[in-house]
């Protein structure tokens, strides 16, 4: 039988590799239940964040322009509700998010995330006729903040919107008649 001798440096290096791997492994799978951004007033889990991301993607879908998910508008919505809304709106947002998920499951028979795009749009349009004020308030806040985030995003401000000052460009070669 052959005995392998490992020096102290090699043993410490391998121990550090193992310790680093165990610290990084949960971050790779991201099933930690924590939100992506730091929020001070809202408590939201990963499933709710994914639902909000799909809702934002349904409001502003990806086409030749990036969609809501690609522009991370769900994080913008969360941050704006956390920082700029009063505690009553924040509570209504969280309860409305839970009610929205259960209403989608109840009406359509499946989760909002698992629906196809046409079913999602039909479900969102059916929200106009419901009596659930929590869901209406949640959807109103989400829609308003999503549109605000899109119109103020770096993509829109730099690539889509060509801003010129009020009088416009000066053209010294324009012929006067």
């Amino acid at each position: 039988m052959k005995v392998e001798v490992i020096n102290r440096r090699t043993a410490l290096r391998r121990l550090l590799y193992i310790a680093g791997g165990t610290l990084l492994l949960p971050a790779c799978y991201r099933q930690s239940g924590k939100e992506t951004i730091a929020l001070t007033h809202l408590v939201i889990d990963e499933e709710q964040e994914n639902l909000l991301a799909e809702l934002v993607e349904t409001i502003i879908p990806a086409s030749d322009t990036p969609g809501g998910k690609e522009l991370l508008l769900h994080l913008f919505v969360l941050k704006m509700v956390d920082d700029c809304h009063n505690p009553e709106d924040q509570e209504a947002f969280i309860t409305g998010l839970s009610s929205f998920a259960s209403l989608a499951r109840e009406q359509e028979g499946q989760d909002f995330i698992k629906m196809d795009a046409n079913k999602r749009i039909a479900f969102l349009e059916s929200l106009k006729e419901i009596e659930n004020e929590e869901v209406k308030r949640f959807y109103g806040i989400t829609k308003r903040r999503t549109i605000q985030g899109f119109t103020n995003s770096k993509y829109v401000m730099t690539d889509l919107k060509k801003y010129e000052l009020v009088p416009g460009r000066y053209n010294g070669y324009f012929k006067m008649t």
Side-chain angles (χ1 to χ4, degrees):
M1 181 192 295
K2 185 177 179 182
V3 176
E4 186 178 331
V5 178
I6 299 177
N7 64 13
R8 188 180 325 152
R9 289 184 184 180
T10 306
L12 283 175
R13 187 180 314 125
R14 288 182 184 173
L15 182 65
L16 287 175
Y17 287 150
I18 292 171
T22 57
L23 289 175
L24 290 177
L25 194 61
C28 294
Y29 287 111
R30 200 181 170 291
Q31 291 295 331
S32 60
K34 295 182 181 177
E35 68 273 359
T36 306
I37 59 173
L39 302 172
T40 55
H41 301 102
L42 298 177
V43 178
I44 189 166
D45 63 4
E46 185 178 354
E47 183 179 323
Q48 291 174 324
E49 185 179 325
N50 291 337
L51 173 64
L52 189 62
E54 292 299 325
L55 175 60
V56 165
E57 183 68 25
T58 306
I59 294 172
I60 300 181
S63 58
D64 55 340
T65 62
K69 213 191 256 187
E70 188 177 340
L71 293 173
L72 301 176
L73 295 179
H74 62 288
L75 299 179
F76 177 81
V77 170
L78 288 173
K79 196 64 174 166
M80 289 301 288
V81 170
D82 189 55
D83 289 347
C84 301
H85 286 258
N86 57 29
E88 293 82 27
D89 282 347
Q90 293 169 354
E91 182 65 31
F93 183 82
I94 293 298
T95 57
L97 180 58
S98 300
S99 299
F100 180 84
S102 61
L103 183 69
R105 218 174 290 116
E106 178 183 306
Q107 279 189 356
E108 300 296 326
Q110 60 182 344
D111 290 334
F112 185 80
I113 294 174
K114 296 177 182 173
M115 292 182 202
D116 64 340
N118 294 330
K119 271 187 146 180
R120 286 181 186 177
I121 292 170
F123 174 72
L124 291 181
E125 291 191 6
S126 74
L127 292 180
K128 295 175 187 172
E129 289 89 33
I130 65 166
E131 288 86 27
N132 192 337
E133 291 301 319
E134 290 176 342
V135 174
K136 282 186 174 182
R137 192 168 176 190
F138 158 74
Y139 182 63
I141 290 171
T142 304
K143 187 174 180 182
R144 189 177 91 214
R145 292 300 182 185
T146 300
I147 293 170
Q148 178 189 10
F150 181 74
T151 56
N152 293 325
S153 68
K154 181 180 176 185
Y155 171 75
V156 170
M157 293 304 233
T158 57
D159 295 340
L160 285 183
K161 197 176 195 180
K162 303 300 179 200
Y163 181 76
E164 292 189 21
L165 291 174
V166 175
R169 291 187 193 156
Y170 174 72
N171 184 357
Y173 294 108
F174 185 75
K175 293 197 180 225
M176 297 290 291
T177 57

